[in-house]
Amino acid sequence: MALFNRKSTAAPSATAAVAVDPALAALTGEYVIDPAHSSIGFTVRHAMVTNVRGAFGEHEGTLKLDGAAPHNSTASIDVKIASVDTGIADRDGHLVSGDFFDAEKFPLMTFRSSQAEQLGGDKYRITGDLTIKDVTRPLAIDLEFNGSATDVYGSERVGFEGSAEILRSDWGLTWNAALETGGVMVSDKVKLNFDISAIKAAAPQA
């Protein structure tokens, strides 16, 4: 089931409106990302031969979904850099140091969307500005809508998963070390991974 409207296959008249699936329109609203059931992480090649995976344990964000007009949908995410976890404390300490993120000076990584579009079926692309340290550059994230459900607590949820690839050097993350056999310790290319569960906010009281 696509999140947003599907166009009719019949040729509409000049004045006909595009039909909107009521079930999809019902998903329209503001959502809060549930950090306990969401993951924002990354994968990067290490020493030219293997991948290191990590995640940020502390993050928050909001989604505004428009089931009738996907271009009106937005996303805002704040990630606490100091919460990075790769499974090795010494490596995490290096990542938050001045060699990489400099978390003491720049505690947050942020994403603010500027455009959303449907690519077909349940696949979407959201474009916006990713800020790391003091550098802001555009980022496009390809997402798949995993569906919606009412959980055991009566909360309405939606789920998305997606990814994007960046060159960390574009955001000033340039630390590296040369290997004796050739190549470098850490790849410039990084894959960002998103697995998002968001809860629909209660409608304001009249």
Side-chain angles (χ1 to χ4, degrees):
M1 180 182 73
L3 171 60
F4 301 117
N5 58 298
R6 299 180 187 271
K7 293 184 178 180
S8 171
T9 56
S13 67
T15 58
V18 177
V20 177
D21 184 336
L24 303 180
L27 299 180
T28 296
E30 296 189 4
Y31 292 76
V32 177
I33 293 175
D34 176 8
H37 297 93
S38 301
S39 175
I40 297 176
F42 58 89
T43 305
V44 62
R45 184 64 57 89
H46 176 262
M48 308 294 292
V49 297
T50 190
N51 290 320
V52 168
R53 293 174 174 82
F56 296 94
E58 296 182 39
H59 51 81
E60 61 183 21
T62 57
L63 308 176
K64 181 180 178 182
L65 304 182
D66 190 327
H71 61 275
N72 288 332
S73 299
T74 62
S76 175
I77 301 174
D78 293 339
V79 176
K80 187 175 180 181
I81 293 297
S83 70
V84 66
D85 182 6
T86 64
I88 298 178
D90 286 347
R91 182 165 57 204
D92 298 341
H94 192 196
L95 287 173
V96 302
S97 75
D99 282 345
F100 283 96
F101 288 109
D102 198 358
E104 184 174 349
K105 186 176 181 181
F106 304 102
L108 294 178
M109 174 173 63
T110 66
F111 177 78
R112 301 290 184 267
S113 70
S114 57
Q115 181 182 357
E117 57 183 318
Q118 184 176 8
L119 302 179
D122 291 329
K123 298 185 183 300
Y124 300 87
R125 177 172 295 145
I126 189 162
T127 304
D129 291 326
L130 175 67
T131 300
I132 303 175
K133 299 174 76 171
D134 57 350
V135 179
T136 299
R137 294 180 62 88
L139 176 69
I141 305 171
D142 288 339
L143 296 166
E144 183 170 356
F145 176 56
N146 287 338
S148 62
T150 300
D151 65 22
V152 295
Y153 302 105
S155 299
E156 297 180 58
R157 290 180 179 266
V158 293
F160 295 88
E161 60 181 316
S163 63
E165 287 190 353
I166 66 170
L167 297 178
R168 61 188 179 89
S169 59
D170 287 343
W171 279 267
L173 303 174
T174 58
W175 183 92
N176 228 320
L179 301 175
E180 291 184 4
T181 54
V184 292
M185 180 71 72
V186 185
S187 170
D188 191 21
K189 184 170 69 174
V190 179
K191 183 178 181 181
L192 303 178
N193 307 299
F194 304 87
D195 198 344
I196 301 298
S197 177
I199 300 172
K200 193 171 189 179
Q205 297 293 324

